[in-house]
């Protein structure tokens, strides 16, 4: 390996590391953070919402900044914002500064992710891109999903969640030092371009509106809550207007060039980016909910089980690198393998329940990890590398906008389905809790015997509490199984869509 390659790889990995930690802190520490600051879980969910706003806003903004001021300046801005946000997250115990810091983490993450991919795709050859991107995605996606849940949940359970933020201070300081004194791998190229405020405002409203609807929508009835209806109308209007503004070049200056979306290959690539984001987050989210809510494992135990999935991720990564490291190989041939593995994971987990041991889960977790490693790495490398280099920054920005859209769609769909299915299951199961029903009498006898064995008096209040807990667990189990069935049904719709759009795009190319 030559020196420029090592320099580029180290820069990219350094830029990726902090955001890979932050992306998992909310999932594994939100309960402890909320308790420390004095927020309810619903209020603390704004951490994730504001972080997502920052991620979406910074993608097109970062593309413009890099074109206007250069890659080094983009790197420096991302590091400064990340350092300030990390200091606030580590030191402040007030709600408002914490909220702002999560927004800052989102902006910093997108700027640095954009930088990391751009510097690799701009300077490396075909096979070197596959190798470097595999390592970057290993650090950005696979390790956060496979290893960090166990480490971060262990810190959170010991009320040490602020250490997870503090550890990021070192890489941010290294970034600032490198931006000031370190060797830079290529000559900077900047353009004297103006900033299109109209397009920026419309795109920000549209992307943040979608994020709000999908992230917060499970707490409302999307079709009956007036505020959600108005937000949906405003979002749809902004999306329509920004499409016209970009197409007809409204406003002065530039913001996010959409020429990459003009070709059929470009449209197909963005669809595949959304599908990759949807699949990866859907299977990860459902498995996490299933283990913690239905199997009743603690966050640390669920994280420990996910270490098994990391082995599957590494296997998927190996096949993905093999498929993308040679120009004569077709990476899309491995996608059906990932889809089949995902369906197999869903089928396996639908047969589990709260009384099955961890050994039963290992094959499903291995399959899940294999699916994530294979699909995520293969599609990301192939899509980013195949799109035109003259619109490199815009390509990466559009790719991650559509990928985040797919991830948000998974959150919105399955969070909403989980709410609906749990409510329906509670109503159905509650029909059996009748004093004259044999099932109810049997459950009461079991609960009375359990309380007597634990030397507690079987009072009506304790019996009712245990019955309600049992009812809730059963309802969640039914809802979890139904959600996996919904994922299988959604996948069976996605597969024909991918095949048809690939034929449509290839026909134009031919």
């Amino acid at each position: 390996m030559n020196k420029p390659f090592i320099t580029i790889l180290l820069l990219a990995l350094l830029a990726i590391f902090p955001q890979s930690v932050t992306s998992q802190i909310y999932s594994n520490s939100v309960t402890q953070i909320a308790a420390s600051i004095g927020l309810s879980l619903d209020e603390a969910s704004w951490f994730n919402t504001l972080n997502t706003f920052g991620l979406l806003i910074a993608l097109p903004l970062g593309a413009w900044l890099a074109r206007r001021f250069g890659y080094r300046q983009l790197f420096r801005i991302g590091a400064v914002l990340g350092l300030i946000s990390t200091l606030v997250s580590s030191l402040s115990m007030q709600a408002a500064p914490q909220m702002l810091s999560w927004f800052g983490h989102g902006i910093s993450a997108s700027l640095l992710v954009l930088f990391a991919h751009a510097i690799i795709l701009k300077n490396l050859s075909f096979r070197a891109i596959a190798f470097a991107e595999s390592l970057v995605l290993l650090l950005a996606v696979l390790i956060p999903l496979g290893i960090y849940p166990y480490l971060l949940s262990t810190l959170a359970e010991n009320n040490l969640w602020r250490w997870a933020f503090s550890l990021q201070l070192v890489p941010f300081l290294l970034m600032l030092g490198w931006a000031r004194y370190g060797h830079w791998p290529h000559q900077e190229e900047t353009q004297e371009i103006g900033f299109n405020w109209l397009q920026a405002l419309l795109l920000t409203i549209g992307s943040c509106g979608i994020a709000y609807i999908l992230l917060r929508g499970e707490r409302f009835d999307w079709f009956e809550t007036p505020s959600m209806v108005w937000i949906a109308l405003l979002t749809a209007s902004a999306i329509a207007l920004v499409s016209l503004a970009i197409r007809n070049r409204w406003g002065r200056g530039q913001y996010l060039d959409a020429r990459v979306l003009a070709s059929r290959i470009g449209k197909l690539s963005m669809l595949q980016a959304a599908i990759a984001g949807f699949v990866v987050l859907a299977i990860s989210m459902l498995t996490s909910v299933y283990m913690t809510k239905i199997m009743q494992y603690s966050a640390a135990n669920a994280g420990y089980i996910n270490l098994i999935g990391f082995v599957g991720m590494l296997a998927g990564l190996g096949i993905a690198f093999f498929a993308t490291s040679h120009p004569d190989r077709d990476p899309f041939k491995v996608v059906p393998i990932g889809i089949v593995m995902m369906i197999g994971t869903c089928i396996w987990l639908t047969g589990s329940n709260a009384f099955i041991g961890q050994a039963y889960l290992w094959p499903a977790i291995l399959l899940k990890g294999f699916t994530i490693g294979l699909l995520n790495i293969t599609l990301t490398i192939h899509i980013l590398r195949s799109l035109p280099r003259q619109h490199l920054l815009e390509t990466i920005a559009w790719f991650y906008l559509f990928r985040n859209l797919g991830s948000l769609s998974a959150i919105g769909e399955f969070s909403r389905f989980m709410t609906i299915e749990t409510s329906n299951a509670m109503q159905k199961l509650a029909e059996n809790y009748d004093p004259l029903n044999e099932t109810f009498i049997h459950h009461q006898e079991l609960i009375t015997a359990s309380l007597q064995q634990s030397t507690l008096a079987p009072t009506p209040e304790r019996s009712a509490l245990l019955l309600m807990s049992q009812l809730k667990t059963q309802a969640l189990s039914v809802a979890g199984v139904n959600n996996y069935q919904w994922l299988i049904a959604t996948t069976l719709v996605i597969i024909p869509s991918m095949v048809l759009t690939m034929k449509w795009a290839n026909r134009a190319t031919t």
Side-chain angles (χ1 to χ4, degrees), residues 141-142 145-146 276 279-280 283-284 287 305-323 331 333-345 361-379:
V141 180
L142 303 190
L145 292 177
V279 169
V280 169
I283 192 68
S284 300
T287 305
I305 297 173
N306 274 327
L307 295 176
I308 304 298
F310 184 65
V311 177
M313 293 180 195
L314 293 178
L317 170 65
I319 295 177
F321 175 71
F322 175 81
K333 288 184 178 180
V334 305
V335 173
I337 300 174
I339 298 295
V340 170
M341 295 299 100
M342 186 189 70
I343 294 176
T345 301
L361 291 175
W362 287 7
I365 301 302
L366 277 172
L367 289 178
K368 182 204 78 170
F370 182 84
T371 300
I372 292 174
L374 182 65
L375 291 179
N376 183 76
I377 306 299
T378 302
L379 290 176

Side-chain angles (χ1 to χ4, degrees), residues 34 53 57 74 119 128 219 264 283 287 302 355 372 408 472:
F53 286 172
I57 291 171
L74 177 70
I119 200 172
R219 294 169 174 79
R264 291 189 178 187
I283 192 68
T287 305
F355 302 103
I372 292 174
L408 291 170
K472 183 179 179 180

Side-chain angles (χ1 to χ4, degrees), residues 361-430:
L361 291 175
W362 287 7
I365 301 302
L366 277 172
L367 289 178
K368 182 204 78 170
F370 182 84
T371 300
I372 292 174
L374 182 65
L375 291 179
N376 183 76
I377 306 299
T378 302
L379 290 176
T380 301
I381 294 175
H382 181 68
I383 292 171
L384 290 178
R385 191 174 54 192
S386 62
L387 291 173
R389 296 287 184 92
Q390 61 267 31
H391 308 302
L392 178 61
L393 293 164
E394 290 82 359
T395 294
I396 300 170
W398 280 115
F399 172 82
Y400 273 98
L401 280 173
F402 277 90
R403 184 185 176 90
N404 287 333
L405 176 62
S407 299
L408 291 170
S409 299
I411 294 173
E413 177 181 348
F414 294 108
S415 294
R416 186 62 180 161
F417 282 162
M418 194 71 178
T419 302
I420 295 173
E421 294 289 353
T422 303
S423 176
N424 293 338
M426 284 283 284
Q427 293 177 3
K428 188 66 177 177
L429 291 170

Side-chain angles (χ1 to χ4, degrees), residues 161-191:
W161 55 269
R162 283 184 289 181
W163 280 99
F165 286 110
S166 300
L167 292 173
Q168 300 175 60
L169 293 174
V170 174
F172 281 128
L173 291 172
L174 289 175
M175 286 184 219
L176 292 174
W178 197 325
R180 178 66 180 86
Y181 302 106
H183 170 70
W184 210 247
H186 67 267
Q187 186 70 29
E188 291 286 7
E189 299 175 0
T190 60
Q191 304 175 28

